[in-house]
Amino acid sequence: MALEIDLTGRSVLITGGTKGVGRGIAQRFSDAGATVIVCARREAETPLPAEWHFIPADLRDGEAAYAAVDAAFAVAGRLDCVVNNAGGSPPAGTAEAPPKFTQRIVELNLLAPYYVAQRAHHHMVNQADGGSIINIGSVVANRPSPTTAAYGAAKAGLLQLSTTLAMEWAQPVRVNTITVGLILTEQAALFYGDGAERERIESEI
């Protein structure tokens, strides 16, 4: 039985919403009738639907993150949902990873959603029906993550952040984490390979 969701009149901000998982999330919100705002450092390589709103920002900068959330709120005069999806990390040997690289990974995967959630709360707490903050986590938060140690540590931190905010902000702002594993995006082969290697992983899911 198909589940029909009507989000007409609702407004949602998806970070990292121009490609991959984020774009898929944005499309589903759009299909449900929500006003969709996507945020990323660069414009999409594939044009976004005309009805979507795009906000360029480097969310690793706290002030830029605050400004992006304010701009998203201004689009519809409300902000019902934020999906903290922006994140990721290229593989890098942990022993050789430069400090600046590690810093950037932690900033993107932990501090950026922290800043976005802070500012989203500022707006949502004043809405009669509050709002929802959804953090996109990863299975690496709970298991070893060779060659992506900083990413795994940041995602573990994001999971803890989510549970803390869920308790601290409950009524009227809900905070949840969605923990994801293999999703077939344009970068999946970096971590899961192609052909037989990916088929082996898929068979265990």
Side-chain angles (χ1 to χ4, degrees), residues 142-204:
N142 297 300
R143 71 183 193 194
S145 182
T147 74
T148 53
Y151 173 74
K155 287 298 187 181
L158 181 64
L159 183 59
Q160 199 284 334
L161 175 67
S162 298
T163 57
T164 294
L165 298 185
M167 179 176 289
E168 186 174 344
W169 294 350
Q171 304 289 332
V173 179
R174 303 182 309 283
V175 183
N176 290 279
T177 299
I178 297 177
T179 298
V180 300
L182 171 58
I183 297 179
L184 296 182
T185 68
E186 59 271 30
Q187 294 186 326
L190 283 174
F191 301 95
Y192 298 104
D194 287 315
E197 184 178 3
R198 198 184 77 200
E199 289 176 4
R200 178 185 61 79
I201 296 171
E202 289 176 345
S203 71
E204 298 174 354

Side-chain angles (χ1 to χ4, degrees), residues 30-110:
S30 182
D31 293 344
T35 297
V36 169
I37 306 112
V38 297
C39 179
R41 280 177 287 171
R42 292 176 292 274
E43 291 192 18
E45 295 178 3
T46 303
L48 299 174
E51 67 273 18
W52 293 13
H53 303 267
F54 172 70
I55 298 172
D58 185 346
L59 301 175
R60 296 172 299 188
D61 180 311
E63 296 300 323
Y66 275 32
V69 175
D70 289 347
F73 176 82
V75 168
R78 62 182 296 118
L79 189 58
D80 298 284
C81 182
V82 166
V83 181
N84 273 314
N85 166 77
S89 172
T94 306
E96 297 80 30
K100 190 67 173 180
F101 171 87
T102 301
Q103 177 184 336
R104 288 308 215 181
I105 296 303
V106 174
E107 287 174 342
L108 176 61
N109 291 281
L110 179 56

